Amino acid sequence: MNTNPRHTGAIKHPRSPAKILWRTVRGMVPHKTPRGGAAMDRLKSFEGIPHPYDRKKRMVIPSCLKVLRLRPERRYCRLGDLSSEYGWKHGSLIERLEK
């Protein structure tokens, strides 16, 4: 009987929204090629708004609004809600810092 917990074969899912987004994009990009690796190096994902971007004016892009892009009967979920379901515990901290 094997009792080492690292060898149980459990799949480790990322919990933070930034890492979930990064893994999702990685699945869509040919990351094993030099071009895909360079694209993944350029990709940045953050929880909240980091320091150089928090001083910039926020804008709304009308063509990207949910009410215009999704049909009313379509289901959707927010990445923060999904992360909290997976066990991410910093959602309230990020909301407090963004205000």
Side-chain angles (χ1 to χ4, degrees):
M1 183 169 129
N2 191 3
T3 59
N4 189 348
R6 286 180 287 163
H7 294 144
T8 58
I11 298 172
K12 296 188 178 185
H13 297 285
R15 292 182 177 175
S16 71
K19 193 55 112 168
I20 290 174
L21 177 71
W22 187 86
R23 289 286 297 189
T24 304
V25 173
R26 182 178 175 258
M28 299 178 197
V29 172
H31 64 277
K32 294 184 179 180
T33 64
R35 193 186 75 166
M40 290 305 295
D41 289 339
R42 289 190 304 267
L43 177 67
K44 297 178 188 177
S45 60
F46 306 102
E47 283 97 20
I49 304 171
H51 172 64
Y53 306 111
D54 61 350
R55 303 278 183 230
K56 295 196 179 224
K57 184 180 180 217
R58 298 181 195 176
M59 16 195 249
V60 175
I61 303 170
S63 62
C64 297
L65 289 174
K66 180 184 72 171
V67 294
L68 298 176
R69 300 299 296 176
L70 289 180
R71 295 191 349 220
E73 69 271 4
R74 292 290 184 192
R75 291 184 170 190
Y76 70 95
C77 70
R78 295 189 177 150
L79 199 51
D81 297 339
L82 186 66
S83 296
S84 62
E85 291 286 326
Y86 267 90
W88 188 59
K89 300 175 182 143
H90 307 291
S92 60
L93 173 69
I94 296 297
E95 286 179 16
R96 199 166 23 116
L97 289 175
E98 282 185 355
K99 289 184 180 180

